[in-house]
Every structure is written in structure tokens, then in C-alpha cells.
Amino acid sequence: MSDLGKWVPEISFDTMAEQILPQIPDISVKDTKKALKAARYLSKAGWAAFPQAPADDRDPEPTAFKALESVHEQIALCAQFVQTEPKPKPNPKPTLGYVVSGNKALTQTASERSLNTSRPDGYGHLQRDQAISLQKITSSRPTKKFQDWFNIAYADEYKKKMARKNGTIMQHIMRVDARRRFTFGLTIENTTTRIWYASRQSVIVSEPFDFMEDQDKFIHLVLSLTFASVVELGWDPSMELWFDKNSDKWGYYIKVFHHDATEATRYRTDKVLSDFAADALRGRGTRVFEAYPIDKNGAKTGPNVAIKDVWIDSTRTAEADILDAILKDATPEEREHFLTVLAWGNVLIEGREDHTEDVMMRGMKVDYENQRVCIGSKHIPIRQYILGQKADTQQPSTGTGSGQGLPPSANRLPLDHIEFHQFHAKRHQRIVFKEIGTTVYNLTSMRSVFSAARDVSKALEIMFRNGSYVHRDVSPGNILIVNGKARLADLEYAKVMGSDRTHDVRTGTVNFMAVEVSQQAYLFRTTSFSRKVAARPSFVHNPLHDLESVWWVVVWCLFWNALDKTSGDTAFPQSAVQITEQMMHAEQIFPQAYGSHIRLAIFAHTDIFPEYWSTFMEVQQLFADYAEEARAILTNAFRAAELTLPNSIDYKAFSDIHERFAQPFGHAVEQCDDYPLRSLLDVYDTYRREKKRKRGEEGKEEDKEEDKEEDKEEDDNPAAPL
């Protein structure tokens, strides 16, 4: 999952400089320091630009730290390059400039995210001649500032004293621009400085140093960032931005490298199909684009396709290979339950396969066990700076394919319950699919939701029948509707049941995770077995867990959607009271936390689930009845499978379970009257706005009545002339 927990690995400054920061073999830190002293920018007391420590400055923080701009500029100006060739070369120009922004919001020329409240205290930005944002491509928006998020290499947070951070910086940099592979950041508390690094695998922090006293370290840091290439700063050279002045549209040029050849195909994106998985700082960072292939002149050479950009565990089998294994002997009809792979390959960065350890950290293995620093305490409060928790309170994204209408943090976890979590090294991969679909999140009728559940149950049956594969991450975002039929996608976590135990970790999306997977324990076992703690077998993800995830998808759609208005209606069918109660139940059923007792009770026990939809309207209840029937079928299968514990699971319980589980969904499609869907949040917000409007009107009427009373009093008691 995308959580960090309360701890992140801490490394020394030297390790950060050697393994992660951009290298500076052609620059002498020692000679640069001498030049700074000669220019009287630096002395034994510290930087001349800082006559006193920021904590002793009475001015506000933006002013107290403003001198950092001068220090960065002076270091770049005094940089001493080592000439190794007989004929001296001109010194390179700085790649970055530096700004103390004073906590001002940056512009956003283009982004999948329309909402942005992130305000860095300072940042390193690409120089105008180095800029790779849209500002370099177009002059159609002259009112925009040059510095926008597509030009920001890293961002800083300053505080005079130790205090909680409110930024959302590192997460925002990684999510706003699909080209970012990793990013850096600084936190400075008075003069105490830490360097932060974030990729899809790791968030790492350096040991603290004093930028006034440890001058060599600060000079090294500034030089390494200021003169680094855009690739060393975390940008992906295989992706470029494009902008159409006429239509005001923007997108990316993307190279897809072929796994069995050296060449690559270039594509131009049309739109983003899905990207909310990129919100999490660590994890797969999945983005899906609709795109088409182009030639060297930019002309379209083929039909539109879907391109998936993802970071997968480096030891996992490629999704395309997993699909090949599952569909090796499949019939054409069976293949229609999955996507068709046209091309795939690992992303190459300067000729090497992109890898979070081998390439980005130069082979360094992260020590997750020993040297760690707490990010959950008030003393090192970098939690919000790294994770962007402030953003989690914003409204759902309205970007195309970005989870429109989802409840806040629908695919993110609360982090306080996690002490620490280790992520595997990851490699960067792209896959081209023939089909372009829409996710279950975007379905507009309840009948289509139940139809999708029936189709996906069949897909899971094919997976298990053709090699005992389990999916392990069924969610609405992984179910795509193509020409009215659901197809199961995102198979990178799929594996043969019980195989490769190194990856037997809790896998899935928390809202749709089976209750046993969430708790990593068999919960339908007999009472006598539950007391035999020593005899408990190791937990294995099985087909029933995948089917349970399908059930949770259906329940999610039942509770997080309301009835929409039909043609001619002026009001929503459900009252404000019904919507409010449904919202309360939806939040209880989907608390976004592991080990929820409510979820276990709803799924495992008869009669509890119906209590939650007792206030549904009749048309909703008819569908919910069939969901209850599917639940009963599945829980009976769980009990039958676990009767043989503490010995191995009884595999006979898996016989025809997919077909039996899918039957209630098919019956619902055939027998229930359909109803249109509207996001529950949208309807809830509509009622809230209406209530606020009415209060405002009532307040105005009350004011008018008060004015009339005052006027009458004045008429009855005229004031004495002045």
C-alpha cells in the first residue's frame, strides 16, 4: 500500500551524497569554499547573508530565510570546476535557480489535478533556458508566472523553531507531473537542515546538519542540485510535454520500449484515463493514458490505445507474462474477459532499465530496520510535508478518469495505525493495451454494476482454472468496461495460489480487501481450532478472497451512489434524511482501515448487512437483496473450506464457487428495474448547499422583518432634530 508509517530510514550525509544526490566530479567543494571566502560571502562565523540565525530574527519566516536566495546564488557564482582536458572547456551554466517564495502558491500550467493549495517556502526551479514545462513551448498565457509546478525540481520548508509542517510538497511534485521518477526536498528548522529523497519505493532522510556551521556539506548540497542534469533531478527523459495553442489541450509524448527488441515506439497522449493511484507517494504510481502511435514527424500511425505506466516490484513477473500464462490455452471467448497486450517493456533511462535501487540509488540497499527517524512526533514533524495529508481533506479530483465523485481518500489509508512498512525495490514499466475502457467508478446505472460483477467473477474463474491463479487486487479501478462488457485488468499482483511466498504480504486496496486478507488470518475456522494458537497454518490468499473483493465493489457502488434524477424530475428521489443516513452507513462500512470489526460483522454474519440498507428505497433494496444472496453463498464456501483447519484448506470448496457466486448478480440484471446513479457526495453536497441557501433566504426575511420593526419604532418615536 501507499503508507509510510511513523518511521522512515535515516542515512548519513555522506551516504546521501554518494548514493542519491547528483554527482559533482567536475566541481571542487574545497576550492569553491575558498572562492566564497575570498569574495567575503563566507567566514568562520557563517554566511555573510545571515548576520543572525533565523530563530533570532524578529521578521516573519519568509523574510528571516530570504537570504538563502543569496547564498544559493553565491555558491553557484563561485563554483570552481576541475579542468581535466588540455583545452579548457567553458564552465556549464546552472540548471537550477533558487527562490524563497514566502509560502506563495505556484501556478500550474497544466495538470491532472485542478486543485492545488501546496505552498512551498522555497524551491529550486529550472532556469528559463532549461525549462521543460509548457512555458517553454507556448506564449499563449503571458500572465502566468514562469515558475510553475512543472519547473520545480525540489522544494523546501523552513521554520524558525521546531513546529508542525503543513506542506504537501514532495507528494505534490510526484503526483502533478507524470515525468517525475523521484524528487528531493529540504527541511530547515532554524539552521538545522535535513535532505529528503522520495521515489515510488523509498522515502529517506539524511542526518541533520547545521547549514551555518557545516559549510562544506551545504556547499556540496547546493552544487549537486544546481548543476545537475534534469535526469539526475528526477525527470524522465522518455516523456515530454506537448501543448496545442489552438485547442488549449496538453499531454505527453511517451516512448514505450519493447521488451524483446531495442527500438521504442513513440505515442502522443489524448487524455488521462486513470491516475488517482499516483496520489500515494510510494507504491505503483499507476497512470493510464489514452494515446496513439506517431512517426518522427508527429503524424498519427495507428488507432488509439491505452498505455499503462507503472512501478512494479522488481522481483515480480511482468503483467504481460502473467496474462500470457493464464491465456495460453484460453478460448477466444475467455480472452474477452481480459485486456489485449500489444506491446510492453521496461523504461530505459540513458540506456539502463529504470530501477529505484540499481539506477536511482546507485545500487544502495535501504536499511529499513536499524537507523530510522520518527515522522509521527512533534519533534520531527515532517509527516505532512512528505505525505501531503492536507490534500486529503480537499474535494475529490474532477480530472478526467481521476476518480471523479470518489469519497475523500478513497484509495488512501490512514497512516497512524502503521508503525513501519517496507517497500520492495521497483522497476519502471509500460504496457500498451488494445482496449480502452472505463472503470466501475464511472458506471451510471446499478444494473451495469451487477453485470460487471458477473463478468469479473467469470474472469476470476478462468484465472483459477488456468493455473490456479489468484488476482489479489480486485477493485473498481481494475474492472474496465469495454463495449458494455467488464474486463479484469491490473494483474501485476496475480500469482499462482501459494507460490512465491516472498510476496505473501497483505495486498490489495483497503476498501475492497477481503476481511481475512486484511487481518492475515482465517476467520471462519471452528471454535476449537481458534484456541490452538500453535497449530495455526500460514495464511494464503485463495479464490474466495478475490470473490469477496468483487462483493465489496458491489457494496461500495450500492452505498457510495445515490439515485439520480430522471428526465423531468426537479428533485432527487431520496430525501436529505435518507442521503445523510446512507452517507453515515457508507463511512462505517468503508472506514479505510485494516481489521475493521464492522466489515467482518457485515460480511460474516447473517442479518447484519440488511440492517445497513433498511432505509434504501425499494429499487435499491431489490439490488441489495441479490448482493446479500451472493454474500451468503460466499460465506458458506469460506466455512466449508476452513472446516479442515488446522490442516490445509479444503480445495473442494472452490469447486464451481465462481459460477454460484455470480448467479445472484445475473438474476439482478435480468429481474431488477434499473436506476441511474449519482455520486452520493454530489447529492449530499447539493442538499447542503440548498440548506445553506434556504438559511440565507430565511435570514434575509428575518432582517427585513427587523428593519420593518425598526422603521415602525422610528415612526412612532421620531428622533429629536439636531
Side-chain angles (χ1 to χ4, degrees):
M1 307 303 293
S2 58
D3 48 286
L4 288 179
K6 296 180 180 179
W7 305 86
V8 296
E10 181 185 66
I11 60 178
S12 68
F13 176 89
D14 290 341
T15 302
M16 180 71 77
E18 293 169 5
Q19 301 295 144
I20 298 177
L21 285 175
Q23 300 296 283
I24 50 172
D26 298 331
I27 310 178
S28 170
V29 173
K30 182 179 180 180
D31 292 343
T32 301
K33 185 177 181 180
K34 288 180 180 179
L36 287 163
K37 288 183 175 180
R40 297 186 178 182
Y41 296 139
L42 183 62
S43 67
K44 290 183 179 180
W47 299 98
F50 281 95
Q52 60 184 343
D56 299 326
D57 196 323
R58 294 184 178 181
D59 289 327
E61 285 169 349
T63 305
F65 286 94
K66 185 68 175 177
L68 281 173
E69 282 186 5
S70 299
V71 173
H72 279 74
E73 184 179 350
Q74 292 161 4
I75 293 174
L77 182 65
C78 293
Q80 298 298 300
F81 293 85
V82 179
Q83 297 289 347
T84 58
E85 298 182 8
K87 186 178 180 179
K89 297 186 300 183
N91 292 338
K93 295 180 179 180
T95 306
L96 301 181
Y98 188 80
V99 170
V100 174
S101 62
N103 200 29
K104 294 179 181 178
L106 299 176
T107 59
Q108 202 158 289
T109 310
S111 174
E112 301 93 288
R113 304 297 180 188
S114 58
L115 293 172
N116 170 25
T117 59
S118 299
R119 297 171 179 266
D121 293 332
Y123 52 85
H125 63 87
L126 290 167
Q127 298 281 25
R128 189 171 293 273
D129 59 344
Q130 293 278 353
I132 51 178
S133 83
L134 300 181
Q135 298 288 1
K136 182 179 178 181
I137 303 173
T138 177
S139 59
S140 65
R141 303 181 184 185
T143 59
K144 293 285 186 180
K145 297 178 181 178
F146 173 69
Q147 285 83 18
D148 63 32
W149 281 106
F150 283 83
N151 279 331
I152 303 306
Y154 66 94
D156 300 349
E157 290 287 314
Y158 318 133
K159 292 288 180 260
K160 288 185 179 182
K161 299 178 180 179
M162 291 183 178
R164 291 195 175 274
K165 305 294 188 289
N166 294 315
T168 60
I169 313 304
M170 294 179 76
Q171 184 199 32
H172 191 74
I173 288 175
M174 292 290 284
R175 76 178 179 182
V176 74
D177 189 351
R179 300 167 302 169
R180 294 310 295 265
R181 302 158 52 235
F182 59 87
T183 188
F184 297 101
L186 299 182
T187 52
I188 303 178
E189 296 174 331
N190 189 22
T191 59
T192 301
T193 306
R194 287 180 181 269
I195 309 167
W196 293 81
Y197 163 82
S199 71
R200 293 302 181 186
Q201 175 196 352
S202 304
V203 171
I204 300 173
V205 62
S206 73
E207 293 175 347
F209 68 93
D210 191 306
F211 80 82
M212 291 287 283
E213 297 178 0
D214 298 326
Q215 299 158 1
D216 288 7
K217 291 180 179 178
F218 195 69
I219 293 170
H220 186 122
L221 169 65
V222 173
L223 290 173
S224 67
L225 295 173
T226 301
F227 290 95
S229 69
V230 292
V231 175
E232 291 174 313
L233 291 168
W235 274 282
D236 184 346
S238 67
M239 295 185 73
E240 305 171 53
L241 280 168
W242 64 260
F243 183 78
D244 187 334
K245 297 180 183 180
N246 297 322
S247 65
D248 210 36
K249 288 184 63 178
W250 68 278
Y252 298 100
Y253 293 115
I254 302 178
K255 285 184 180 179
V256 175
F257 300 88
H258 299 270
H259 72 286
D260 55 356
T262 57
E263 73 272 7
T265 302
R266 198 162 181 249
Y267 294 83
R268 173 177 161 135
T269 67
D270 256 354
K271 62 181 178 181
V272 178
L273 296 176
S274 177
D275 67 351
F276 54 80
D279 284 358
L281 187 54
R282 299 198 309 173
R284 289 179 285 179
T286 307
R287 303 177 196 260
V288 183
F289 304 92
E290 182 174 342
Y292 54 83
I294 57 175
D295 61 21
K296 61 181 181 180
N297 297 317
K300 186 174 182 178
T301 61
N304 282 24
V305 295
I307 298 179
K308 178 180 177 180
D309 184 274
V310 63
W311 295 84
I312 68 170
D313 289 355
S314 60
T315 56
R316 290 191 187 276
T317 304
E319 180 177 1
D321 287 338
I322 294 173
L323 261 174
D324 280 345
I326 293 171
L327 302 178
K328 181 180 179 181
D329 299 316
T331 65
E333 182 182 358
E334 290 176 332
R335 290 178 178 272
E336 289 181 358
H337 287 82
F338 303 89
L339 300 179
T340 305
V341 176
L342 298 178
W344 71 276
N346 295 324
V347 175
L348 299 182
I349 302 296
E350 298 179 333
R352 298 183 63 190
E353 291 188 355
D354 202 6
H355 193 282
T356 55
E357 284 185 355
D358 296 347
V359 174
M360 298 182 191
M361 297 193 293
R362 305 181 186 102
M364 185 184 80
K365 305 294 182 184
V366 181
D367 183 358
Y368 288 95
E369 298 300 328
N370 297 315
Q371 195 73 4
R372 302 184 296 181
V373 63
C374 177
I375 61 172
S377 75
K378 65 180 180 180
H379 297 297
I380 306 179
I382 318 299
R383 185 181 198 73
Q384 291 180 325
Y385 170 69
I386 301 172
L387 297 173
Q389 288 183 319
K390 183 178 178 182
D392 287 352
T393 64
Q394 297 175 0
Q395 292 298 312
S397 166
T398 56
T400 303
S402 301
Q404 185 174 2
L406 301 186
S409 306
N411 288 275
R412 292 188 290 276
L413 286 174
L415 304 173
D416 290 330
H417 68 289
I418 300 292
E419 283 291 329
F420 185 68
H421 188 67
Q422 176 176 341
F423 274 51
H424 294 284
K426 296 185 180 297
R427 68 179 189 270
H428 195 181
Q429 197 169 93
R430 293 188 182 125
I431 312 174
V432 182
F433 294 106
K434 177 182 178 181
E435 297 84 8
I436 301 171
T438 183
T439 70
V440 168
Y441 286 125
N442 302 111
L443 291 179
T444 58
S445 75
M446 189 53 68
R447 184 179 290 168
S448 61
V449 170
F450 276 66
S451 177
R454 177 186 58 186
D455 294 342
V456 170
S457 299
K458 181 63 177 180
L460 292 169
E461 178 186 356
I462 295 167
M463 287 182 63
F464 192 66
R465 187 174 65 240
N466 295 357
S468 297
Y469 277 89
V470 285
H471 188 280
R472 305 200 305 154
D473 189 22
V474 176
S475 70
N478 297 340
I479 301 172
L480 299 181
I481 312 303
V482 180
N483 297 325
K485 185 171 183 178
R487 301 195 182 211
L488 186 58
D490 288 352
L491 272 69
E492 59 256 35
Y493 282 144
K495 69 171 191 171
V496 175
M497 184 179 65
S499 68
D500 190 10
R501 300 306 300 276
T502 59
H503 288 296
D504 265 348
V505 296
R506 181 165 45 194
T507 301
T509 306
V510 66
N511 279 339
F512 314 104
M513 190 179 292
V515 292
E516 288 192 338
V517 175
S518 174
Q519 299 190 31
Q520 291 288 283
Y522 295 115
L523 304 175
F524 294 88
R525 56 184 184 258
T526 62
T527 304
S528 59
F529 164 64
S530 65
R531 296 170 183 167
K532 300 178 182 178
V533 178
R536 292 178 182 174
S538 58
F539 181 78
V540 176
H541 191 116
N542 66 53
L544 303 183
H545 299 126
D546 283 343
L547 293 176
E548 185 185 336
S549 292
V550 175
W551 188 80
W552 286 115
V553 169
V554 171
V555 174
W556 193 97
C557 292
L558 280 168
F559 279 87
W560 279 109
N561 285 292
L563 275 73
D564 199 0
K565 300 175 184 177
T566 55
S567 179
D569 288 342
T570 58
F572 291 108
Q574 294 167 272
S575 67
V577 173
Q578 289 175 309
I579 291 296
T580 301
E581 186 162 351
Q582 185 174 327
M583 176 77 77
M584 179 185 68
H585 289 158
E587 291 174 342
Q588 289 175 345
I589 298 172
F590 298 98
Q592 303 178 72
Y594 292 128
S596 166
H597 295 296
I598 291 178
R599 285 170 66 89
L600 175 59
I602 287 172
F603 181 70
H605 300 288
T606 305
D607 299 332
I608 293 182
F609 177 52
E611 292 179 6
Y612 279 83
W613 45 268
S614 59
T615 58
F616 274 5
M617 298 188 71
E618 183 178 357
V619 67
Q620 293 171 293
Q621 289 189 2
L622 292 174
F623 280 99
D625 268 331
Y626 284 108
E628 165 62 17
E629 184 180 336
R631 184 207 63 80
I633 291 171
L634 195 54
T635 53
N636 287 336
F638 269 111
R639 294 186 180 93
E642 296 177 16
L643 276 174
T644 55
L645 294 175
N647 298 317
S648 61
I649 290 287
D650 186 358
Y651 286 12
K652 294 178 182 177
F654 304 154
S655 176
D656 75 1
I657 181 58
H658 296 85
E659 183 179 352
R660 289 188 289 118
F661 175 74
Q663 283 178 352
F665 301 126
H667 293 158
V669 171
E670 296 167 1
Q671 299 177 21
C672 291
D673 292 332
D674 200 7
Y675 65 88
L677 301 180
R678 181 74 172 267
S679 165
L680 182 66
L681 284 173
D682 288 348
V683 180
Y684 181 76
D685 288 342
T686 299
Y687 277 125
R688 286 185 62 186
R689 289 193 299 270
E690 181 66 17
K691 185 176 182 180
K692 187 175 181 180
R693 184 186 64 79
K694 287 182 178 179
R695 282 180 175 176
E697 291 178 353
E698 291 172 357
K700 290 179 181 179
E701 291 299 323
E702 291 176 359
D703 290 341
K704 289 180 181 179
E705 291 298 324
E706 290 178 2
D707 291 341
K708 289 180 180 179
E709 291 294 330
E710 291 175 358
D711 292 342
K712 184 178 180 182
E713 290 178 5
E714 291 176 359
D715 292 339
D716 294 340
N717 303 289
L722 294 175

